[in-house]
Amino acid sequence: MLGVLLAAGASSRLGEPKALLRLGQKTLIERSLQVLQAPFKEEIVVVLGAEKEAVRSIISQEQVEILESQDWALGQGNTLAECMRALAPRKEAILLMLVDTPFVQEKHLHAILEAHQENASQVIISSFRGQSSPPVLIPFEHQHKLHDWKGDKGFGPFWKSHPDICRWISFEEEYRDLDTPEDKKYWQENWEK
């Protein structure tokens, strides 16, 4: 199984690269990789696009494999599709995380992996107080359904159109990503040191 971190977006609403934003002592890319490394060790792929050289400079390349998106400017859907196609030859399940979800913790990934062990053919989706969101675990047998994803389309249309293959794992933490200057202010004011 692979842990995949999408960190390719331009962060146009935020106005600065999300992956390089600091919360406490770490950038979001460093923090996300730390969370992913607990269960995945060296089986991590980071997908880069905008600001790829700046982000790459703070990643230890011994830790991760880097996949450069050619379609990142077309939206998250295109990046996701490109990633799924590029990793398809490995025929492995993928746990996919986004760099702008600082509320995601190691315990969430472990719960998703446990659910996958119970039924390896289900897509496992996180639900944070009722808000469906990555991290998402996608078994190999369902990844082809994302090969033609396009635009700014996230995962919502996927699980709405395939509820029969999906299982939701509920978490108590509040969903709040980091997309806008207001989100940045919230996270910087509420980040535990």
Side-chain angles (χ1 to χ4, degrees):
M1 183 180 304
L2 294 170
V4 174
L5 179 63
L6 288 188
S11 311
S12 56
R13 285 187 288 166
L14 182 61
E16 61 185 291
K18 292 177 191 177
L20 300 175
L21 183 70
R22 285 197 171 277
L23 290 181
Q25 300 300 312
K26 294 187 173 131
T27 61
L28 280 182
I29 189 81
E30 291 170 310
R31 189 207 167 272
S32 299
L33 285 173
Q34 181 180 1
V35 171
L36 267 174
Q37 283 168 340
F40 288 98
K41 309 293 184 256
E42 296 167 6
E43 295 295 314
I44 298 174
V45 176
V46 179
V47 183
L48 299 180
E51 303 293 336
K52 64 185 175 190
E53 295 309 322
V55 176
R56 185 191 301 266
S57 72
I58 59 174
I59 296 174
S60 168
Q61 298 206 16
E62 295 81 47
Q63 297 174 305
V64 302
E65 176 183 341
I66 294 177
L67 178 65
E68 289 188 16
S69 171
Q70 304 306 307
D71 295 337
W72 65 267
L74 300 174
Q76 184 186 75
N78 288 73
T79 302
L80 177 60
E82 182 181 20
C83 173
M84 291 294 139
R85 291 190 306 268
L87 298 176
R90 299 188 192 189
K91 299 183 178 179
E92 293 189 63
I94 291 173
L95 188 145
L96 194 129
M97 187 170 149
L98 304 178
V99 77
D100 66 345
T101 52
F103 54 88
V104 173
Q105 303 167 36
E106 291 173 21
K107 68 178 183 178
H108 302 132
L109 304 189
H110 288 295
I112 292 166
L113 293 173
E114 284 178 26
H116 176 66
Q117 289 176 348
E118 293 169 14
N119 188 334
S121 66
Q122 288 181 312
V123 176
I124 310 296
I125 302 159
S126 302
S127 176
F128 295 92
R129 294 191 190 173
Q131 173 69 48
S132 297
S133 167
V136 174
L137 193 147
I138 310 162
F140 174 71
E141 65 195 86
H142 300 304
Q143 292 169 18
H144 70 277
K145 296 175 174 82
L146 292 163
H147 284 191
D148 295 321
W149 230 231
K150 292 194 180 352
D152 284 328
K153 186 162 50 171
F155 287 96
F158 177 84
W159 49 67
K160 287 175 185 168
S161 59
H162 302 288
D164 54 314
I165 61 167
C166 295
R167 175 180 173 190
W168 280 260
I169 304 293
S170 295
F171 299 113
E172 289 302 312
E173 287 75 17
E174 179 183 5
Y175 173 88
R176 178 142 191 179
D177 60 4
L178 213 160
D179 277 340
T180 65
E182 292 78 23
D183 295 331
K184 174 184 173 181
K185 182 178 179 188
Y186 168 85
W187 280 109
Q188 288 180 329
E189 289 176 355
N190 294 286
W191 191 251
E192 294 179 10
K193 309 296 183 260

